[in-house]
Amino acid sequence: MHHYPLRALLAASTLLAALPAHAETVRWSVIASGEKVGFVEADEQGSTVSISYDVKNNGRGPTTTEEIELGADGLPVRWAIDGTSTFGSEVRERFARDGQTVRWTDSTGTQEKGQANTALYIAQNGSPWALGLYARALLKDDDRRMAALPGGELQLEALGETGVGGTTYRAFSISGIDLSPELILLDEQGRLFARIDTDGATVREGAEATVPELTELATRLTDERFAALQKRFAHTLDRPMRIRNVRVFDPKAGKLGDPVSIVVSGERIAGIQPLDAPATPGEIVVDGEGGTILPGLHDMHAHVSPQSALLYLAAGVTSIRDMGNDNAVLDGLMEQIENGTVAGPRIVRNGFLEGRSSYSARNGIIAESEAEAVEAVRWYAARGYWQIKIYNSMNPDWIPAVVREARRLGMGVTGHIPAFTNADAMIAAGYDEVTHINQLMLGWVLDPKEDTRTPLRLTAMRRTADLDLASPRVQQTIEAMATHDIALDPTAVTLELLMLSRDGKPSPAVANYIDHLPIALQRRRRQGIAPIETPADAAAYEGAFVKIKELIMRLHDRGVRLLPGTDDATGLSLHRELQIYGEAGIAPAEVLRLGTLAPEVYMGRDQNLGSVERGKYADFLLLPGNPLEDLRELHRIAMVVKGGTIYFPSEIHAAFGVKPFAEAPVIPELK
């Protein structure tokens, strides 16, 4: 396919005379957690649009330019996107529409389709400007639905008018691009004013002061959506439920028991009874068909939102540890989950504590001095947070004071290894736990002057491919962790995604279920993330991930506590995290203990959670198969019970464009 200069194509286009003259440059500010982190600039000259897009949040973000030619129908005829993605991998995307035929090239390769002139191409690496384009196209369609390329369908839903900063805008949601709808505001000319979210917005330059109003609006619209979904998907019982003919996995013994019946009454497990024990009058009886009952899973590294909260339940994750969030938003979400307004897992909060720098992450609290850091610990302790989580820009010299205050107030300390230090120093300073296995490993390969506030904390992992895990330096750290009971939250699945994703191939992180995902997410998961300039780079990342698995096994053998977490939002990634432990050599029964009971023991909640026993909370999942034989069976969940409320993953996943993994059991009383 030939790629001619776009402006030359425009000069020859006969469409120009038919288009209204229009010349305008519009800028939008990208705001996250109250601070400007990037911009979008669109230079519109008739049918030509030139876009610059740059975001740098937490030391990373996309930098791209776009050249778009619009046809007489307002849809793209040509679209070229160049630059780098969030973590620095190359972006070179092309789209062309000629009559009935469309062709495009993205990270997955080149494709062509005929009879597709009315379908709307969804850019793989498009800026937020594209959302205005999609909205205008959908508004012209009678039912506000259009076929999308590479696949699926876009739908526009009007959410009403809203006043922002003294001006009235129309609010819409656009579904079909990803797991969650995009929320946008259009002005009276139908042009994009803002893309909004619960923690920020991309808003027309000059209107940055309206972002608090916009995030409040996004929060209200999101709350309304997920409250409606909870009414659809939460099945509550007014009488006992007996699930017959199931085998219960006991994480303490590491065994699957003989067929029994599980009886649930209210929010608790009333009993595990012999299979021949008769049901009492009025019970709801469910045929478990010989399936497996597994205690609810636990993700020890989450950053929860209303969407991920529901998706966690669909994946059988009934408890999570939130490792950093907008504190007010998280508190509101927890209240909604606890009162049953929205669906979600049980949540333990960690207090996010960051130092001030140009690379600062904007969750939680940012401290500019040791005194402010210690005061932040007091703030979190007074509000019931479980641990303090340290982040990259924290001054390492402040950690001892933070640890002393945290321990004095009954809290633990975990987190990243701050820039310009290493895990050994932070363990000596009083860490109870290290977050991310790369944070542990980088101390063995980096020069102390290298800055891990940047994407170096990922890219430097290439250096670990040849690391000798038996070396004295590595063994010293492992021994310190084992001796002082320092836990590790590996998040291996996120590193697998970042390091092993390649253009045109399913990422190993999702390869087992990629065909179940919405088309846009499938497309992203066939796109490289880490910058790879040579075959040697690719080989180094692959070797480094082999080393990660070897280290997981060594740590486990030495008795270091592993806390499975994902740093992701789909729930399904926790299944892959556990599979990676199995691939590392940990026995399946032990892997399942790590994902169920072990986190609850660590947090002191195992009297009520972590195993399926009489009197404990009814938090468990029903699997048709046996995960001890194949950990991939974790995807195939037929039913999830959390506190006695029933959820069917097949119902939830369908609402997010995810192809269900297993059929729900037939329970006539719930219809």
Side-chain angles (χ1 to χ4, degrees):
M1 176 178 174
H2 297 289
H3 304 296
Y4 298 101
L6 184 57
R7 295 190 185 278
L9 286 168
L10 291 174
S13 174
T14 58
L15 293 172
L16 283 175
L19 289 169
H22 178 77
E24 183 182 20
T25 298
V26 184
R27 286 179 63 96
W28 292 261
S29 295
V30 181
I31 308 295
S33 301
E35 298 187 24
K36 183 175 179 179
V37 297
F39 70 89
V40 183
E41 181 177 281
D43 180 20
E44 303 181 19
Q45 301 292 331
S47 62
T48 310
V49 186
S50 300
I51 299 169
S52 296
Y53 179 43
D54 185 76
V55 172
K56 293 296 173 285
N57 191 9
N58 192 12
R60 59 191 183 227
T63 300
T64 58
T65 59
E66 300 175 64
E67 294 286 331
I68 305 171
E69 175 190 353
L70 301 175
D73 56 2
L75 299 182
V77 176
R78 303 283 186 272
W79 198 337
I81 308 175
D82 293 283
T84 55
S85 65
T86 298
F87 286 93
S89 62
E90 182 183 17
V91 170
R92 181 176 170 80
E93 184 175 354
R94 299 291 183 268
F95 170 82
R97 174 161 58 103
D98 297 300
Q100 297 283 318
T101 302
V102 295
R103 301 179 184 86
W104 68 91
T105 300
D106 59 19
S107 69
T108 66
T110 298
Q111 298 185 57
E112 177 177 317
K113 283 191 177 182
Q115 303 298 317
N117 60 313
T118 60
L120 189 57
Y121 177 71
I122 307 304
Q124 185 180 43
N125 299 284
S127 69
W129 182 91
L131 296 173
L133 171 71
Y134 305 152
R136 289 191 295 274
L138 289 161
L139 282 168
K140 295 177 183 178
D141 193 86
D142 290 340
D143 63 359
R144 296 186 176 179
R145 293 175 180 263
M146 291 183 70
L149 296 171
E153 176 184 83
L154 288 194
Q155 179 180 357
L156 186 75
E157 180 182 356
L159 303 176
E161 293 187 344
T162 184
V164 177
T167 303
T168 299
Y169 298 95
R170 291 183 294 164
F172 295 92
S173 70
I174 304 177
S175 303
I177 298 175
D178 213 324
L179 288 170
S180 61
E182 294 279 2
L183 298 176
I184 62 170
L185 298 183
L186 301 182
D187 63 20
E188 60 183 7
Q189 288 81 37
R191 301 170 70 80
L192 182 69
F193 170 70
R195 171 197 190 184
I196 64 176
D197 205 342
T198 56
D199 64 352
T202 299
V203 62
R204 197 86 56 83
E205 190 174 65
E208 291 86 352
T210 67
V211 169
E213 292 179 73
L214 297 175
T215 56
E216 183 178 342
L217 173 62
T219 299
R220 177 175 63 78
L221 294 173
T222 300
D223 288 349
E224 290 173 357
R225 176 174 183 248
F226 284 96
L229 292 177
Q230 168 75 332
K231 289 180 179 179
R232 285 173 56 191
F233 299 143
H235 304 284
T236 56
L237 305 174
D238 57 1
R239 46 193 163 136
M241 174 178 64
R242 179 179 299 264
I243 309 174
R244 297 190 69 260
N245 189 22
V246 289
R247 302 174 70 193
V248 177
F249 174 71
D250 179 356
K252 298 175 184 176
K255 295 180 180 179
L256 200 60
D258 295 328
V260 293
S261 293
I262 303 294
V263 181
V264 175
S265 180
E267 63 180 1
R268 300 273 180 171
I269 297 169
I272 301 175
Q273 300 184 0
L275 193 57
D276 60 1
T280 60
E283 288 183 12
I284 295 173
V285 179
V286 180
D287 185 358
E289 298 183 347
T292 299
I293 293 288
L294 193 69
L297 299 171
H298 197 129
D299 190 327
M300 290 293 282
H301 195 123
H303 300 278
V304 71
S305 66
Q307 173 178 291
S308 65
L310 183 53
L311 289 172
Y312 270 126
L313 286 185
V317 180
T318 56
S319 292
I320 64 165
R321 179 178 60 169
D322 190 286
M323 295 291 278
N325 218 312
D326 180 299
N327 295 325
V329 170
L330 178 59
D331 286 349
L333 177 59
M334 289 177 65
E335 182 179 353
Q336 290 175 311
I337 292 172
E338 289 166 6
N339 65 28
T341 304
V342 301
R346 304 178 192 275
I347 301 173
V348 171
R349 299 172 299 169
N350 270 17
F352 192 93
L353 182 53
E354 171 70 307
R356 173 67 66 182
S357 80
S358 58
Y359 299 101
S360 297
R362 292 166 176 83
N363 287 328
I365 296 174
I366 298 176
E368 301 196 39
S369 67
E370 181 178 285
E372 287 188 10
V374 171
E375 184 59 32
V377 174
R378 297 179 185 131
W379 190 93
Y380 282 124
R383 288 156 181 80
Y385 286 72
W386 190 60
Q387 287 176 314
I388 296 297
K389 181 194 174 182
I390 303 297
Y391 210 63
N392 301 312
S393 293
M394 178 62 64
N395 187 330
D397 295 338
W398 303 346
I399 299 303
V402 167
V403 168
R404 284 194 301 271
E405 190 66 10
R407 288 186 176 167
R408 190 171 76 90
L409 299 176
M411 302 177 75
V413 177
T414 183
H416 287 210
I417 305 302
F420 314 118
T421 187
N422 58 42
D424 292 330
M426 292 301 95
I427 291 170
Y431 266 35
D432 299 288
E433 178 188 332
V434 174
T435 294
H436 305 300
I437 199 167
N438 61 311
Q439 295 283 324
L440 181 68
M441 298 173 74
L442 289 174
W444 302 327
V445 297
L446 287 181
D447 183 288
K449 296 180 181 179
E450 292 184 283
D451 192 348
T452 53
R453 296 173 299 178
T454 71
L456 181 70
R457 61 183 181 268
L458 162 67
T459 58
M461 284 299 291
R462 290 176 296 182
R463 306 180 198 176
T464 67
D466 299 321
L467 181 64
D468 180 5
L469 295 180
S471 67
R473 186 174 187 182
V474 174
Q475 288 302 307
Q476 175 184 329
T477 306
I478 294 176
E479 285 304 309
M481 295 181 74
T483 301
H484 299 289
D485 193 21
I486 308 301
L488 175 69
D489 160 23
T491 63
V493 64
T494 295
L495 291 165
E496 182 179 52
L497 179 67
L498 295 174
M499 293 163 57
L500 301 189
S501 293
R502 300 289 182 268
D503 285 351
K505 298 179 181 179
S507 170
V510 299
N512 291 335
Y513 60 88
I514 191 168
D515 58 331
H516 286 261
L517 300 175
I519 188 67
L521 187 51
Q522 287 191 36
R523 207 168 166 207
R524 279 210 311 280
R525 294 298 174 251
R526 288 186 170 94
Q527 182 176 15
I529 298 177
I532 295 175
E533 298 179 1
T534 67
D537 287 342
Y541 281 123
E542 290 159 11
F545 199 74
V546 170
K547 204 66 66 172
I548 285 173
K549 289 182 180 179
E550 292 177 1
L551 179 58
I552 286 172
M553 194 66 208
R554 282 177 179 263
L555 291 166
H556 181 265
D557 285 346
R558 185 59 187 85
V560 174
R561 192 192 304 265
L562 300 178
L563 302 170
T566 65
D567 205 7
D568 192 42
T570 65
L572 296 169
S573 53
L574 182 66
H575 305 166
R576 178 57 190 161
E577 178 79 8
L578 297 174
Q579 291 163 20
I580 290 169
Y581 298 175
E583 292 171 4
I586 300 175
E590 173 64 3
V591 171
L592 294 177
R593 185 190 72 84
L594 292 174
T596 56
L597 180 61
E600 305 303 346
V601 171
Y602 181 59
M603 295 194 297
R605 308 194 313 174
D606 53 305
Q607 292 302 306
N608 284 301
L609 297 164
S611 58
V612 178
E613 300 179 59
R614 175 181 167 84
K616 286 193 171 185
Y617 284 118
D619 286 17
F620 57 81
L621 49 144
L622 172 64
L623 298 162
N626 182 357
L628 290 171
E629 296 176 352
D630 188 343
L631 288 169
R632 290 177 297 182
E633 284 294 316
L634 290 173
H635 299 318
R636 300 180 60 243
I637 302 172
M639 180 172 71
V640 176
V641 180
K642 183 233 169 178
T645 299
I646 297 170
Y647 296 90
F648 299 125
S650 57
E651 292 182 342
I652 297 171
H653 280 146
F656 288 90
V658 176
K659 177 183 172 184
F661 294 85
E663 293 183 1
V666 176
I667 308 177
E669 292 90 341
L670 298 184
K671 290 184 178 180

